[in-house]
Amino acid sequence: AACISFVVHSRIARDKLHLIEYGANLPAEHVPATVADVPISAPIGAAPLRLLFVAVEQHRKGLDTVLDVQDALIRAGVPTQVDIVGTQVTLPLRHPQLTTVHGFLRKSVPEQAAQLQALYAKAHLFFVPSRAEAYGIVFCEAMALGLPVIARATGGVPSIVQHGVNGLLLPPDAPPTAYADAITSLIRQPQHYAAMRQAARRRYDEVLNWDTFAARVKALRIGVRD
């Protein structure tokens, strides 16, 4: 969507543009060799369901939606834990006993990096429903760890998240109940969820890494003359 908007407004011929996705900003030692090496704390049907939100900006990244969806799931009988990383929350927590605010965790600090890794391992779904997003490297990082993503279909997010394949991608105007329904449906399909984990990691291995980015840029020979 972001690329199409650029083409329309700049009037550049489409055959002069190439879409090359950015990679995950994770140190190599933080990325398991394969999805089979990703630690999983509990299966998708286990209680509580764990949702992980990692972002600094609360409103643009949709934290209010995450909390509304948590409330909808709990009301539907699905105990739901939300782990919040990256921000000091100013929104009211409807279910404080099932919501943990971890603050800003730096990947450059070993203890904090280990804490973040543990949160990814405990999570069932990575949930950042951004209202506006040029791309979303954090989604690439989730997929490097084999974690399916739930997001809004806005900006460049659809170039990372494929609905029903490596995550759930809902329309920009989807209400919290639509997210809750989609998540509830996924909980009832553990085999589909397992396939999503595999697809998320495969998307990282094939596309969302910096080696692939560099190779594709080099292959275009941008700015190089024979």
Side-chain angles (χ1 to χ4, degrees):
C3 183
I4 292 173
S5 176
F6 178 78
V7 170
V8 170
H9 292 287
S10 64
R11 299 181 181 178
I12 293 177
R14 296 195 182 203
D15 61 0
K16 293 183 178 294
L17 294 174
H18 299 269
L19 175 61
I20 304 177
E21 294 86 347
Y22 283 173
N25 286 340
L26 288 175
E29 62 270 21
H30 292 177
V31 180
T34 69
V35 70
D37 300 311
V38 176
I40 301 175
S41 297
I44 186 68
L49 172 73
R50 298 191 71 111
L51 305 177
L52 177 60
F53 175 92
V54 180
V56 174
E57 299 179 54
Q58 295 180 53
H59 178 72
R60 182 169 69 85
K61 299 290 186 173
L63 178 57
D64 56 325
T65 298
V66 173
L67 297 177
D68 286 344
V69 172
Q70 177 194 34
D71 183 61
L73 286 166
I74 290 173
R75 289 177 180 275
V78 181
T80 304
Q81 166 75 35
V82 173
D83 289 293
I84 302 170
V85 176
T87 185
Q88 294 299 326
V89 180
T90 58
L91 297 170
L93 303 179
R94 301 188 197 181
H95 304 278
Q97 74 282 8
L98 284 170
T99 308
T100 305
V101 180
H102 300 272
F104 193 90
L105 300 178
R106 297 185 181 278
K107 288 176 282 187
S108 58
V109 179
E111 296 80 6
Q112 296 180 16
Q115 185 181 353
L116 184 58
Q117 290 284 98
L119 290 171
Y120 273 103
K122 291 177 182 177
H124 294 109
L125 295 165
F126 187 83
F127 191 11
V128 180
S130 302
R131 291 183 167 85
E133 193 74 75
Y135 183 62
I137 286 180
V138 71
F139 300 136
C140 304
E141 295 174 357
M143 291 188 185
L145 300 171
L147 192 58
V149 170
I150 311 174
R152 281 189 173 98
T154 185
V157 178
S159 64
I160 304 173
V161 185
Q162 301 159 305
H163 180 68
V165 178
N166 56 15
L168 301 173
L169 198 61
L170 276 71
D173 59 351
T177 52
Y179 286 95
D181 290 345
I183 292 171
T184 301
S185 177
L186 185 59
I187 292 172
R188 297 186 183 126
Q189 304 175 72
Q191 291 183 334
H192 186 193
Y193 172 75
M196 274 190 175
R197 289 187 65 97
Q198 295 281 347
R201 175 53 193 244
R202 186 164 57 249
R203 181 73 170 158
Y204 165 77
D205 287 332
E206 296 176 355
V207 178
L208 305 175
N209 65 82
W210 289 109
D211 287 344
T212 297
F213 175 90
R216 292 174 67 187
V217 170
K218 184 178 180 180
L220 291 175
R221 299 176 62 82
I222 296 175
V224 176
R225 294 184 179 180
D226 293 325

